[in-house]
Amino acid sequence: MAAPLPAASGDDPCFAELIARRPHLSRHALDGLVMEEVPLARIAEAAGTPTWVYSAGALRRRLGLLRRALAEANLAATVHFAVKANPNLAVLRVLADAGAGADVVSEGELRAARAAGIPPSAIVFSGVGKTEREIRLALAEDILQINAESAEEVEEISALAAALGRTARVALRVNPDVDARTHAKITTGRSENKFGVAISDAAALYARMAALPGIEPVGIAVHIGSQITAGMAPYRAAYARVAALVRELRAAGLPVARVDCGGGLGIPYRDEPAPLPEALAGAIRGALGDLGLPVMLEPGRWIAGPAGVLLASVVREKRGATHRFVVVDAGMNDLVRPAMYEAWHGILPVAPEALVAPLSPAGVVGPVCESGDTFARARALPALRPGALVAFLDAGAYGAAMSSTYNARPLAAEVLVDGARFAVVRDRQGYDALLAGQRLPPWLGREPGS
């Protein structure tokens, strides 16, 4: 029998609690931390570090839980994964094979969704800044729906579609002026946010859409923010306003085929309470159920966040005047959420002996030349020698997708685990690739590397 895991100090969950809450992770007495059936140490040996590692089983499971909750609420619903959370083609293919469509916000995401095998009939294009080129691509692909976010965008879609002899299926995204009570940088449904049309202006603009050439109005869309953990009240308020709008449109004889309910359902990174998909399904059913319309959801983080970890190696431990620092080879250029949002991520040692060793407080920092390159402060961790592996939990959403090459640090590799199998699904960026595309102008002489 494996030795019991030590308790964490302070209010942080202990290693045992962190592992128990993530069914795709387990602890083996010989292999240490394991994802599905693959020891993370084996992945580090094969792919190096830092490396993003995703559980296909967790992706399928979480998508299935959400779809089941919607079905049990008697909702005719489709799920369109928010590609911005994780655009890796292997992740998208796993979800597509499990029945998900895609919610995209750029040409690159649309192309990624198509490359992963997601059909145009399951793709929604959202976003406040779609360019003419992007609208043309959406029309050429004949995607399921474009979510228009302004009167100006509606006019542009109409003109482009009419010129191309096509009809765009357009939903109008409304801003319900509802505070989702989430981080200020990821709220999207308040009147001061850039997203959507003021709900007071929506009926008139929807009528205008119905009169324009090249547009088929198909419904109303709403999305109030990301990482919503404050309960269902914000959702209920937003959906109630959408329901009232739908009734107003119907009373005016305007067609409404569906409601796009957005996403934003939060996850517990630490040990905070987070609403379950059954609660979201109930909120949708309560506000929109009597309309008799199919609904769409666009989750990203809830599906992919817990399914991934960022695997890193310890460079060294550094003893400061008053603090112990664990320096790892992953930086804020890899996982920016702690620096950007003051976000908390669980950090687990990978080696079996480290999981049961005595703990002491440590700051966990990366190599980037910024004081903000700090993943944790006073985190209870064992002594970690150079080369020891650690896993940053819940890194499957807005991890690799938001990474950069700051400090000229190449992008990390990405690996997919599926049962006892694993494969590199994105190669680690090499230094030649990092410099590719750069050149000196003729007046500065030699090209780089020549």
Side-chain angles (χ1 to χ4, degrees):
M1 176 181 290
L5 298 181
S9 60
D11 297 326
D12 289 342
C14 68
F15 294 163
E17 291 169 331
L18 290 171
I19 294 171
R21 292 170 186 162
R22 292 153 181 85
H24 53 291
L25 296 178
S26 61
R27 177 179 67 107
H28 190 275
L30 296 179
D31 292 325
L33 194 61
V34 174
M35 178 178 283
E36 298 195 28
E37 301 173 47
V38 180
L40 289 176
R42 188 187 305 167
I43 293 175
E45 183 178 358
T49 59
T51 291
W52 307 94
V53 188
Y54 310 122
S55 163
L59 293 167
R60 296 186 190 105
R61 174 179 169 274
R62 295 185 69 82
L63 174 61
L65 289 172
L66 178 58
R67 296 180 72 192
R68 188 176 309 119
L70 295 166
E72 290 176 352
N74 295 314
L75 293 167
T78 53
V79 175
H80 304 263
F81 177 68
V83 174
K84 62 180 174 288
N86 191 322
N88 183 277
L89 296 187
V91 168
L92 298 180
R93 174 63 68 87
V94 167
L95 294 172
D97 288 348
D103 168 55
V104 305
V105 296
S106 70
E107 177 177 346
E109 289 187 1
L110 175 52
R111 292 187 180 278
R114 294 293 292 118
I118 299 175
S121 60
I123 296 176
V124 181
F125 202 140
S126 304
V128 70
K130 304 178 200 71
T131 65
E132 177 180 328
R133 174 187 169 105
E134 288 173 327
I135 295 170
R136 286 182 180 276
L137 178 62
L139 292 168
E141 290 282 334
D142 194 26
I143 66 170
L144 172 66
Q145 179 174 301
I146 300 174
N147 288 347
E149 303 215 16
S150 66
E152 295 82 359
E153 184 183 353
V154 166
E155 298 289 342
E156 184 171 9
I157 293 171
S158 171
L160 291 171
L164 293 170
R166 292 183 174 272
T167 299
R169 290 174 290 274
V170 179
L172 183 62
R173 177 174 176 177
V174 299
N175 186 319
D177 194 19
V178 167
D179 186 355
R181 290 181 283 170
T182 185
H183 195 287
K185 293 181 180 179
I186 52 178
T187 187
T188 61
R190 296 187 300 194
S191 60
E192 64 265 32
N193 298 138
K194 67 181 180 180
F195 299 96
V197 174
I199 200 161
S200 58
D201 299 331
L205 182 52
Y206 199 88
R208 171 66 177 161
M209 284 168 51
L212 284 172
I215 286 184
E216 176 191 352
V218 295
I220 298 298
V222 65
H223 178 66
I224 59 173
S226 182
Q227 185 53 10
I228 298 171
T229 59
M232 289 296 106
Y235 283 116
R236 293 191 188 99
Y239 296 153
R241 295 179 186 183
V242 168
L245 175 60
V246 170
R247 293 187 182 97
E248 181 182 354
L249 297 175
R250 283 176 161 177
L254 295 167
V256 180
R258 51 186 174 261
V259 174
D260 185 339
C261 295
L265 193 63
I267 61 172
Y269 283 94
R270 194 175 184 179
D271 55 2
E272 63 273 26
L276 298 174
E278 290 82 2
L280 178 59
I284 296 171
R285 179 71 185 176
L288 303 171
D290 65 349
L291 297 177
L293 293 174
V295 298
M296 307 159 63
L297 274 82
E298 297 162 358
R301 185 195 315 268
W302 196 88
I303 290 175
V309 303
L310 174 59
L311 197 57
S313 296
V314 172
V315 176
R316 65 182 56 89
E317 283 206 12
K318 174 183 174 180
R319 296 283 176 172
T322 58
H323 290 80
R324 168 195 173 208
F325 295 99
V326 175
V327 185
V328 299
D329 63 356
M332 62 183 286
N333 67 294
D334 299 300
L335 181 61
V336 74
R337 294 190 69 257
M340 181 176 287
Y341 304 122
E342 300 82 41
W344 193 97
H345 283 264
I347 303 173
L348 290 176
V350 171
E353 63 275 10
L355 283 164
V356 297
L359 307 177
S360 63
V364 182
V365 300
V368 171
C369 288
E370 299 273 358
S371 294
D373 187 26
T374 299
F375 296 111
R377 294 178 173 84
R379 190 67 62 88
L381 290 170
L384 294 166
R385 295 181 177 180
L389 297 172
V390 295
F392 294 85
L393 303 183
D394 304 318
Y398 305 105
M402 296 179 73
S403 60
S404 74
T405 58
Y406 184 46
N407 277 197
R409 291 172 50 79
L411 297 174
E414 295 177 66
V415 167
L416 183 73
V417 172
D418 197 350
R421 302 171 295 181
F422 74 92
V424 174
V425 293
R426 180 179 176 181
D427 291 333
R428 185 177 309 282
Q429 187 179 37
Y431 286 99
D432 288 343
L434 181 70
L435 298 175
Q438 299 188 55
R439 59 181 56 84
L440 296 174
W443 62 87
L444 291 181
R446 295 182 305 151
E447 287 293 314
S450 65

